[in-house]
C-alpha cells in the first residue's frame, strides 16, 4: 500500500506508452484549439467537412484528426503542440491566433495550417527580412473587412442628435482587438462618427462595461469580434436590447446570435478554406503553392428579426442569416 | 518519449515558480497571488527586452529587479497597511496586468531570432536534451542558492517567522521586514520562471500567468505529500522534492493529454490524477498512525 500511488502512476505511464498503434497509411492531423467557444468551434466543423469532401474522412478512416483543446491555458496549449510534434503528426491545424503562434514557435518541420488567425505581419511572426515561417499556411484575415462592416452603420441609422455615436468594447489582451479599435477610430473620424470605446479584459465584466457604455447615450453598438465579445455576446445583446440599441458586427456568427448585420468572414467557411488547403497538402505531401491566403468568402448577412425590431432597412445585397 | 521530455522541460521552467510558492506558502503561510502577475511580468520584460536586441544578462538582471519590486510591494501592502495577504497579492496582480500590457505593447509578442538561454551551450544532440541540460543546471543553481539562503541565520529567522511569529518577535527580529524580503525573493524566483518559459515557448502573452499560481500550489502540495510520506526534514531534499512535485504535476497533464481524453474533461481528469497521487499516501499515513 505504501507505494500504491507511485505504482498507479507508473502503471498509467506504461499504459500510455506502446498503446499508440497507428495505421501507417492514414494521415494524422493534430487539431489544436486554444479555448472553447460556440462561434469559434464552427471553424473546426468547416475544416473537417472540407477534408471529408476531399476524401479524408474520419468516419471512413481515411484520416485521423486528433482534437485537443487547451481550455484557455497556455501551458496546456504548449503541451498539446509538443505532443503533436513528438508524435510526428503529418499536419498541425491551429484555430485562433494563440494556437498559431504557439505552433509556429514550436516546430519548423511539421506543416501548420491555420484558421481564424490574423496575417503573419499582424501576428508579428515575420523575421527581420520580412519572411514568415516556411511551414505555415492556411486562411488569414486582415483588418480591411472592418471598414466595410463599420460603414454600414451610418448608411442605415439616423443619429438621435447631431452626430452618430457608436459604442465599442475592445479587449486589451488580444492584438486583433486593439488593432481593430485603432482602425475604427481612424475610419470614424472620416465618416463624422463619434466612437466611445471601453476596455474589457474578461467576459465576466461584460455586463458592467456594457451598461457603462449604454449610459453614454450611444446610437449603435459595434461588436468587434474578439474572443471576449464572442464569449459574452448574449450578455451584451440583452443589455443593448433593453435600451433599444442595435448591434452591428463583422462576423456572421454573431448575426445569427442576434446582431443586426455584418459584412465579414464566416467562421465555418474560414475553417473550410483552411481545410481545402490541408487536403491539398495531404494529397501532394508538398508545400508547393501553399501559403497563407486571405479569407475568400465574406458574407453580407442580416438578422431579419433584429432588423425588424429596429426598423432597419438593409441594402438588397444582404442575405438573411441562416 | 520526446513528449514527456517536453513536459519535464516545462516543469523545470517552473522550478523557480514552485520554489517561490514554497517560500511564500510553506514558510510564511501566505498564499501569494502576486505570482500570476509576477510570472507574466518576468515574461513581458523578457520579450520586450530580447525583441529590442538587449543582451540576456541585462535582461535577467531587469527581470530579477522587476520580480523583487512586485513581491516587495505585496509585502509592504500586507505588513504596513495591515491588509490581508491574499488581498494584497490580488491587488498587485491586478495592477500588474496593466503594467505587463504596457511593457509588452500588445498582448502577444513572439520572439523571432532573439538571444536565448537555450542557445548558450551547443552540444551536438537533440535540442530538447540541450535545453534539459541547461534547465537542470539552472534548477540546481536555484536550489543551491535558496538552500544556502534558508540555512543562514537570516534564513532561519525567516523560517521561524512562519513557524512562530510571536517567538521570533520576542527575539527582536522584525517580522514585517522578513515577510517583505521573503515575498520579494519568492517573486524574483517566479519572474525568473516567466523568463525561462517565455524563451521555451517562443513568445510572451498577457494571459500566460492566469492560473499559474494553481499549478505552483499543486506542485508544492504534491511535494508536501512526498515529504510527509518519506519523513524528510533536510531543507535541501525538501527543495529537490518541490521541483520533483512540479515535474509530477506537468507529467500528469501530459499523461492526460496522451491518453486523449475528451477535451472537455481534460481538467477534471488532471484533477483526479493529482487527487490520487496526493490522496493515496494520506490513506496509508492514517493507517500508519492508527
Amino acid at each position: 500500500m505504501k507505494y500504491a500511488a507511485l505504482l498507479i502512476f507508473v502503471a498509467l505511464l506504461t499504459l500510455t506508452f506502446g498503446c499508440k498503434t497507428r495505421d501507417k497509411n492514414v494521415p494524422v492531423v493534430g487539431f489544436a484549439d486554444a479555448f472553447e467557444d460556440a462561434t469559434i468551434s464552427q471553424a473546426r466543423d468547416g475544416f473537417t467537412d472540407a477534408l471529408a469532401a476531399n476524401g479524408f474522412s474520419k468516419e471512413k478512416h481515411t484520416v485521423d484528426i486528433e482534437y485537443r483543446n487547451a481550455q484557455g491555458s497556455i501551458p496546456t496549449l504548449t503541451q498539446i503542440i509538443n505532443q503533436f510534434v513528438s508524435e510526428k503528426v503529418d499536419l498541425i491545424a491551429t484555430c485562433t491566433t494563440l494556437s498559431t503562434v504557439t505552433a509556429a514557435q514550436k516546430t519548423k518541420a511539421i506543416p501548420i495550417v491555420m484558421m481564424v488567425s490574423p496575417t503573419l505581419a499582424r501576428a508579428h511572426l515575420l523575421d527581420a527580412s520580412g519572411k514568415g515561417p516556411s511551414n505555415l499556411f492556411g486562411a488569414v484575415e486582415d483588418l480591411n473587412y472592418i471598414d466595410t462592416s463599420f460603414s454600414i452603420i451610418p448608411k442605415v441609422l439616423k443619429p438621435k442628435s447631431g452626430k452618430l455615436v457608436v459604442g465599442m468594447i475592445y479587449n486589451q489582451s488580444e492584438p486583433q482587438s486593439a488593432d481593430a479599435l485603432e482602425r475604427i477610430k481612424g475610419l470614424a473620424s472620416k465618416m463624422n462618427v463619434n466612437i466611445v470605446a471601453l476596455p474589457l479584459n474578461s467576459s465576466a465584466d461584460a455586463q458592467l462595461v456594457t451598461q457603462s457604455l449604454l449610459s453614454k447615450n450611444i446610437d449603435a453598438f459595434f461588436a468587434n469580434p474578439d474572443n471576449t465579445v464572442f464569449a459574452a455576446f448574449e450578455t451584451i445583446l440583452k443589455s443593448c436590447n433593453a435600451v433599444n440599441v442595435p448591434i452591428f458586427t463583422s462576423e456572421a456568427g454573431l448575426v445569427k446570435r442576434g446582431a443586426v448585420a455584418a459584412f465579414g468572414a464566416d467562421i465555418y467557411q474560414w475553417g473550410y478554406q483552411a481545410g481545402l488547403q490541408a487536403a491539398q497538402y495531404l494529397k501532394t505531401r508538398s508545400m508547393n503553392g501553399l501559403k497563407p491566403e486571405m479569407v475568400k468568402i465574406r458574407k453580407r448577412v442580416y438578422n431579419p428579426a433584429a432588423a425588424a425590431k429596429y426598423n432597419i432597412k438593409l441594402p438588397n445585397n444582404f442575405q438573411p442569416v441562416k | 518519449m520526446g513528449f514527456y521530455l517536453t513536459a519535464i522541460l516545462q516543469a523545470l521552467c517552473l522550478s523557480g515558480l514552485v520554489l517561490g510558492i514554497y517560500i511564500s506558502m510553506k514558510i510564511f503561510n501566505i498564499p501569494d497571488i502576486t505570482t500570476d502577475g509576477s510570472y507574466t511580468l518576468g515574461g513581458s520584460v523578457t520579450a520586450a527586452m530580447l525583441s529590442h536586441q538587449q543582451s540576456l544578462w541585462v535582461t535577467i538582471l531587469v527581470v530579477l529587479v522587476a520580480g523583487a519590486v512586485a513581491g516587495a510591494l505585496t509585502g509592504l501592502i500586507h505588513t504596513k497597511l495591515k491588509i490581508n495577504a491574499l488581498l494584497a497579492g490580488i491587488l498587485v496582480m491586478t495592477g500588474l496586468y496593466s503594467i505587463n500590457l504596457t511593457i509588452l505593447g500588445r498582448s502577444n509578442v513572439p520572439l523571432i531570432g532573439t538571444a536565448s538561454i537555450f542557445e548558450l551551450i551547443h552540444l551536438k544532440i537533440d535540442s530538447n536534451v540541450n535545453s534539459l541540460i541547461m534547465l537542470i543546471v539552472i534548477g540546481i543553481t536555484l536550489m543551491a542558492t535558496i538552500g544556502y539562503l534558508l540555512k543562514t541565520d537570516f534564513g532561519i529567522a525567516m523560517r521561524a517567522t512562519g513557524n512562530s511569529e510571536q517567538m521570533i518577535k520576542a527575539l527582536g527580529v522584525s517580522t514585517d521586514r522578513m515577510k517583505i524580503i521573503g515575498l520579494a525573493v519568492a517573486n524574483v524566483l517566479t519572474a525568473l520562471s516567466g523568463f525561462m518559459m517565455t524563451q521555451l515557448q517562443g513568445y510572451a502573452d498577457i494571459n500566460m500567468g492566469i492560473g499559474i499560481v494553481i499549478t505552483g500550489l499543486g506542485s508544492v502540495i504534491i511535494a508536501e505529500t512526498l515529504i510527509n510520506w518519506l519523513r524528510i526534514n533536510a531543507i535541501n531534499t525538501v527543495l529537490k522534492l518541490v521541483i520533483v512535485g512540479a515535474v509530477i504535476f506537468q507529467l500528469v497533464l501530459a499523461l492526460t493529454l496522451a491518453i486523449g481524453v475528451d477535451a472537455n474533461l481534460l481538467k477534471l481528469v488532471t484533477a483526479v490524477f493529482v487527487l490520487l497521487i496526493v490522496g493515496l499516501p494520506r490513506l496509508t499515513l492514517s493507517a500508519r498512525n492508527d
Side-chain angles (χ1 to χ4, degrees):
Chain A
M1 193 63 195
K2 188 180 172 184
Y3 296 104
L6 219 61
L7 276 176
I8 285 187
F9 190 68
V10 172
L12 283 170
L13 268 182
T14 45
L15 267 181
T16 53
F17 289 133
C19 71
K20 283 260 184 281
T21 44
R22 278 229 184 85
D23 186 350
K24 278 279 166 279
N25 302 323
V26 176
V28 182
V29 179
F31 194 111
D33 236 339
F35 54 90
E36 208 61 66
D37 180 87
T39 306
I40 298 286
S41 66
Q42 295 172 2
R44 181 186 164 200
D45 300 338
F47 182 82
T48 43
D49 289 356
L51 281 183
N54 281 277
F56 296 102
S57 136
K58 204 167 175 168
E59 285 70 38
K60 294 188 184 129
H61 300 294
T62 42
V63 71
D64 183 9
I65 300 178
E66 279 195 24
Y67 178 73
R68 296 278 186 277
N69 188 318
Q71 310 288 354
S73 148
I74 292 181
T76 310
L77 186 62
T78 313
Q79 285 282 53
I80 288 169
I81 300 290
N82 281 335
Q83 191 196 1
F84 291 155
V85 172
S86 61
E87 280 182 19
K88 296 195 173 57
V89 295
D90 298 288
L91 179 69
I92 295 177
T94 57
C95 184
T96 70
T97 317
L98 199 54
S99 307
T100 304
V101 171
T102 308
Q105 293 289 54
K106 271 283 159 208
T107 177
K108 301 284 177 243
I110 299 175
I112 301 164
V113 58
M114 52 180 170
M115 61 205 82
V116 199
S117 299
T119 54
L120 296 186
R122 279 185 48 223
H124 282 220
L125 281 171
L126 300 175
D127 59 15
S129 60
K131 274 217 214 27
S134 60
N135 59 334
L136 195 55
F137 63 95
V140 297
E141 178 71 297
D142 62 10
L143 291 171
N144 296 337
Y145 69 95
I146 290 186
D147 306 13
T148 42
S149 290
F150 190 79
S151 57
I152 304 168
I153 305 175
K155 285 192 186 111
V156 298
L157 266 193
K158 290 280 167 287
K160 289 179 201 154
S161 59
K163 210 172 177 186
L164 200 63
V165 184
V166 177
M168 255 186 86
I169 287 179
Y170 67 101
N171 181 349
Q172 296 167 304
S173 73
E174 287 182 52
Q176 75 269 24
S177 186
D179 290 355
L181 174 72
E182 283 313 305
R183 193 174 177 108
I184 288 175
K185 277 187 169 158
L187 209 64
S189 62
K190 288 194 200 100
M191 292 180 175
N192 196 23
V193 173
N194 271 353
I195 292 284
V196 185
L198 289 179
L200 172 69
N201 291 324
S202 81
S203 46
D205 307 334
Q207 180 136 21
L208 201 66
V209 175
T210 311
Q211 292 297 355
S212 154
L213 200 57
L214 292 171
S215 68
K216 294 184 171 41
N217 201 12
I218 55 175
D219 296 302
F221 182 95
F222 186 77
N224 178 23
D226 59 39
N227 301 332
T228 324
V229 167
F230 274 139
F233 188 73
E234 275 63 30
T235 313
I236 296 169
L237 184 71
K238 215 167 84 187
S239 307
C240 288
N241 278 347
V243 292
N244 289 326
V245 168
I247 300 180
F248 292 82
T249 179
S250 59
E251 199 279 318
L254 292 178
V255 175
K256 207 177 286 181
R257 285 161 77 175
V260 176
F263 172 57
D266 174 316
I267 301 270
Y268 175 87
Q269 291 294 346
W270 199 337
Y272 197 90
Q273 188 180 337
L276 291 178
Q277 289 192 57
Q280 186 190 326
Y281 172 78
L282 292 177
K283 275 179 186 149
T284 59
R285 290 302 167 113
S286 93
M287 292 281 299
N288 283 343
L290 290 170
K291 56 182 195 319
E293 300 173 353
M294 295 306 294
V295 166
K296 288 188 183 117
I297 300 183
R298 292 199 178 80
K299 291 205 297 203
R300 289 182 170 80
V301 289
Y302 74 97
N303 183 316
K309 173 176 162 54
Y310 293 109
N311 270 328
I312 289 173
K313 188 90 183 66
L314 288 147
N316 291 335
N317 55 4
F318 275 77
Q319 311 285 330
V321 73
K322 282 186 264 319
Chain B
M1 198 57 217
F3 172 49
Y4 290 96
L5 178 61
T6 52
I8 293 169
L9 288 184
Q10 259 187 293
L12 290 176
C13 277
L14 296 176
S15 58
L17 176 110
V18 291
L19 289 173
I21 298 236
Y22 175 78
I23 290 175
S24 56
M25 187 72 204
K26 298 306 301 172
I27 293 181
F28 292 109
N29 300 324
I30 295 174
D32 183 20
I33 306 291
T34 322
T35 305
D36 275 18
S38 53
Y39 174 77
T40 314
L41 178 67
S44 306
V45 169
T46 307
M49 291 191 67
L50 290 183
S51 58
H52 285 96
Q53 315 310 331
Q54 297 294 327
S55 86
L56 270 174
W57 309 112
V58 180
T59 307
I60 291 179
L61 207 63
V62 178
V63 166
L64 296 181
V65 172
V69 171
L73 199 61
T74 304
L76 280 168
I77 294 173
H78 168 51
T79 55
K80 302 299 174 204
L81 299 177
K82 301 279 180 283
I83 286 175
N84 180 315
L86 205 55
L87 182 62
I90 290 171
L91 291 175
V92 174
M93 175 200 92
T94 310
L96 277 175
Y97 185 92
S98 297
I99 291 170
N100 291 334
L101 204 52
T102 313
I103 294 171
L104 276 175
R106 53 207 303 273
S107 73
N108 182 297
V109 175
L111 295 173
I112 292 169
T114 51
S116 158
I117 45 168
F118 300 114
E119 284 164 12
L120 289 179
I121 47 167
H122 267 302
L123 303 168
K124 282 198 167 38
I125 36 173
D126 179 40
S127 70
N128 275 344
V129 181
N130 197 18
S131 304
L132 181 70
I133 293 167
M134 194 69 213
L135 284 171
I136 287 175
V137 170
I138 294 173
I140 289 173
T141 314
L142 286 181
M143 241 163 19
T145 316
I146 300 300
Y148 174 75
L149 178 76
L150 292 178
K151 281 215 264 307
T152 57
D153 286 354
F154 174 80
I156 288 168
M158 205 151 92
R159 281 148 72 186
T161 305
N163 286 336
S164 168
E165 203 168 327
Q166 297 308 327
M167 179 201 74
I168 201 80
K169 260 193 183 142
L171 293 174
V173 175
S174 159
T175 51
D176 281 2
R177 215 183 70 204
M178 283 295 160
K179 283 182 183 167
I180 293 166
I181 294 173
L183 284 171
V185 171
N187 283 286
V188 162
L189 290 165
T190 304
L192 206 54
S193 266
F195 166 82
M196 293 190 275
M197 190 61 103
T198 297
Q199 292 172 69
L200 186 77
Q201 65 191 17
Y203 64 88
D205 190 279
I206 190 69
N207 296 327
M208 68 193 270
I210 291 180
I212 206 78
V213 69
I214 307 295
T215 308
L217 287 172
S219 308
V220 168
I221 290 163
I222 290 175
E224 201 190 349
T225 309
L226 293 172
I227 290 161
N228 291 340
W229 193 21
L230 306 169
R231 298 177 177 175
I232 284 162
N233 297 321
I235 193 79
N236 277 344
T237 321
V238 167
L239 293 180
K240 276 193 201 88
L241 283 177
V242 168
I243 294 183
V244 168
V247 172
I248 292 176
F249 198 88
Q250 289 299 316
L251 281 176
V252 168
L253 175 65
L255 182 71
T256 320
L257 283 168
I259 294 171
V261 285
D262 181 64
N264 296 336
L265 299 177
L266 183 72
K267 292 202 171 181
L268 175 66
V269 176
T270 310
V272 169
F273 277 154
V274 174
L275 183 65
L276 279 178
I277 295 170
V278 176
L280 280 173
R282 289 254 178 259
L283 289 176
T284 55
L285 273 181
S286 56
R288 191 198 286 167
N289 298 334
D290 283 347

